[in-house]
Amino acid sequence: STLAAATLSGTLEMGSASAALTHSGASGLSITSTNGFVDVESVRFDGLNLGTATAATVLTLDDTGVALSVDAAHITHGGTTGLAITSTNGYVDVESFRFYGLNLGTATAAKVLTLKDAGVTLSADAAEITHGGATGLTISSTAAHVDVESVRFTEANVGISGATDLLQLATSGVTVGGTLDVTGLSTLAAATLSGTLEMGSASAALTHSGASGLSITS
């Protein structure tokens, strides 16, 4: 049957096993409730709110986007490949973090961190890493070294790329693996030399200031 218009005072029931409500006009189809909500399956439409029978305002729509309106909200992905949250021409803000391509930052500094396959780059002009905890900060490499500028740390050894054990640290002290050049005044409680002590100054002195004496023996 074709009806130009119809008003129902009761319920419209569609008893066909495969039923459809089809609109073929040029403008649109509106399904509204003057004083209440509209339920489609288990989804409740109430004005600009989408929800369920027990939580009517899970999502709130407006001209700029969608708001999660429940007190404890979450977005869950249950697929096997992944969940992508992207902006075609701009950034994505999550709380105070700004994601922009491979850059992570804030609203005022969009490129604090730049991610790459090999690691992380601090992109800000004046960058810092600050630890505010009560125990300590550990920077370690499981199987290799850690470079800080041109200084290489390998377990308890400190050196450079071509000589990694110039300083060898232990609980008993420090072992110098290379040559120790001192240009200023140095005070040593004790020292053992396995080689030659050379004093290259034009006016050199070996001075003892203790109260007992100075012994030079072989």
Side-chain angles (χ1 to χ4, degrees):
S1 299
T2 301
L3 302 176
T7 300
L8 301 177
S9 60
T11 301
L12 172 64
E13 295 184 359
M14 305 170 72
S16 173
S18 178
L21 182 62
T22 304
H23 170 256
S24 59
S27 299
L29 172 66
S30 296
I31 302 175
T32 60
S33 174
T34 304
N35 298 313
F37 53 81
V38 174
D39 283 345
V40 178
E41 288 286 348
S42 299
V43 180
R44 175 158 294 180
F45 297 80
D46 191 356
L48 292 175
N49 299 315
L50 275 72
T52 65
T54 56
T57 56
V58 176
L59 297 178
T60 300
L61 310 181
D62 59 34
D63 292 337
T64 60
V66 180
L68 290 169
S69 306
V70 293
D71 293 334
H74 60 86
I75 300 174
T76 303
H77 171 253
T80 58
T81 53
L83 171 66
I85 302 175
T86 60
S87 174
T88 304
N89 298 313
Y91 53 81
V92 174
D93 283 345
V94 179
E95 287 286 346
S96 299
F97 286 92
R98 176 157 293 180
F99 296 82
Y100 198 174
L102 292 175
N103 300 311
L104 176 62
T106 65
T108 55
K111 295 183 179 181
V112 176
L113 296 178
T114 300
L115 309 181
K116 58 180 70 174
D117 292 339
V120 179
T121 300
L122 291 171
S123 307
D125 292 335
E128 63 183 49
I129 300 175
T130 303
H131 171 253
T135 52
L137 171 65
T138 301
I139 302 175
S140 62
S141 175
T142 303
H145 56 264
V146 174
D147 284 343
V148 179
E149 288 285 348
S150 298
V151 181
R152 176 159 294 181
F153 297 82
T154 308
E155 295 182 343
N157 297 324
V158 181
I160 59 176
S161 176
T164 60
D165 58 350
L166 294 177
L167 295 178
Q168 302 156 33
L169 309 182
T171 56
S172 58
V174 179
T175 300
V176 179
T179 301
L180 178 62
D181 293 328
V182 180
T183 58
L185 178 64
S186 299
T187 301
L188 302 176
T192 300
L193 300 177
S194 59
T196 302
L197 173 62
E198 296 182 0
M199 305 170 71
S201 175
S203 176
L206 184 62
T207 304
H208 172 257
S209 60
S212 299
L214 172 64
S215 297
I216 302 177
T217 61
S218 173

